Amino acid sequence: MHTSYDLHTHSRQSDGTLTPSELVTRAADVGVEVMALTDHDTLSGIDEARQTAERAGLRLIPGVEVSVTWNRQTIHVVGLNVDPANPALLAGLQSLQDFRQWRAEEIGRQLRKAGIEGAYEGACRHAQGVLISRTHFAHYLVEIGRARDLRAVFKKFLVRNKPGHVSGRWTDLEQALGWIHAAGGQAVIAHPARYRLTGRKLRQLIGEFKECGGEGLEVVSGSHSQQDMYNMAGIARECELLASRGSDYHGPENPWIELGRLPELPQGLVPVWRDWPRHAA
Ligand code: AMP
Ligand code: MN
Ligand code: MN
Ligand code: MN
């Protein structure tokens, strides 16, 4: 049997809905053997996840999903096997958290102008005192009946040219990879098919990513179609990138995505875990 890897997941420490401990327990229950916790722009769930993983017999990979602005667009880079105590990484992530805080207040002001009261406060309530995300605004807007589900809220309010949209001003590729590598990690471009880049632009992104020392592409993702997966497998081979596999699980509210429930990596790819120690905890 193959080891079951899920290298992209979220807890309540960012925009997921399970605590790190609940997430790890669920992963172990559904048969995941190696799981990376990759919350957006924070490492604050790693300690708790690690403790539960030890008890559950699951191998926990400390990770993070870093928000990057590239070519005026938001791109996500997953860092795997990072040292969660690394000062350069922690300081970098703090700057992203500071931007998130400012952006949240700004989204609140924009939505108020559009006639929606209390969005900032409502989003803070959903964020429960940890990092704040557009997802928390989405939960609030669904709660007050402004849209049917998260997807509909994003479409109506939170994306470009909509009333609650505030442009991302994250870090750049070079800095993001600098932080991940300073912390001893590997960098992986998350859900590459989600950005709707042309083949040319995607290759440009990968070219710059590789110049910065980037190592991997998330070929298998919960947000990829089968066709996306085959396309990205071709690009990973062509560009000689390691291949990763992750569900991008955010919680049981979304029945379409489950921990570890993903296709195997397509043939002819080098897995990002190839050189990982086999039995290390
Ligand atoms: P943020 O990093 O705060 O800008 O929020 C981005 C997060 O919002 C992503 O990580 C997804 O979890 C979520 N998201 C983005 N687009 C959508 C969508 N169309 N439907 C549901 N969730 C989305
Ligand atoms: Mn998310
Ligand atoms: Mn993402
Ligand atoms: Mn994610």
Side-chain angles (χ1 to χ4, degrees), residues 8-10 15 38-40 65 76 78 190-191 194 218 248-250:
H8 187 156
T9 70
H10 296 276
D15 63 348
T38 57
D39 274 312
H40 297 283
E65 182 173 14
H76 288 167
V78 165
H191 42 64
R194 276 260 296 270
E218 201 171 70
D248 207 1
Y249 183 83
H250 281 73

Side-chain angles (χ1 to χ4, degrees), residues 24-180:
V24 168
T25 303
R26 184 180 181 105
D29 285 349
V30 300
V32 173
E33 291 162 286
V34 182
M35 185 197 103
L37 175 62
T38 57
D39 274 312
H40 297 283
D41 306 325
T42 183
L43 296 158
S44 61
I46 301 291
D47 268 356
E48 181 186 317
R50 216 179 224 164
Q51 285 171 31
T52 306
E54 256 173 52
R55 285 199 301 274
L58 175 150
R59 181 159 161 221
L60 194 272
I61 304 296
V64 62
E65 182 173 14
V66 182
S67 306
V68 170
T69 300
W70 179 80
N71 202 23
R72 284 177 293 165
Q73 183 172 355
T74 298
I75 299 289
H76 288 167
V77 176
V78 165
L80 295 174
N81 269 314
V82 292
D83 168 8
N86 180 267
L89 177 58
L90 286 166
L93 298 179
Q94 183 61 52
S95 71
L96 299 178
Q97 291 165 31
D98 293 345
F99 172 70
R100 283 183 173 279
Q101 181 55 40
W102 174 84
R103 183 188 65 162
E105 292 166 26
E106 184 62 19
I107 292 174
R109 288 189 284 270
Q110 299 294 334
L111 288 174
R112 172 161 296 135
K113 279 194 219 156
I116 298 170
E117 291 297 326
Y120 173 70
E121 294 73 15
C124 285
R125 187 159 42 72
H126 283 278
Q128 302 181 79
V130 291
L131 168 149
I132 189 155
S133 156
R134 279 187 295 165
T135 306
H136 301 119
F137 281 90
H139 283 300
Y140 174 70
L141 290 165
V142 170
E143 179 186 293
I144 63 168
R146 287 299 191 129
R148 188 169 21 92
D149 55 21
L150 295 192
R151 185 179 287 258
V153 182
F154 271 86
K155 219 171 149 183
K156 231 167 126 182
F157 295 104
L158 299 176
V159 295
R160 201 168 281 174
N161 301 321
K162 300 295 159 153
H165 180 256
V166 178
S167 298
R169 271 180 260 142
W170 309 108
T171 186
D172 62 26
L173 260 188
E174 190 176 353
Q175 279 200 319
L177 270 65
W179 302 339
I180 290 168

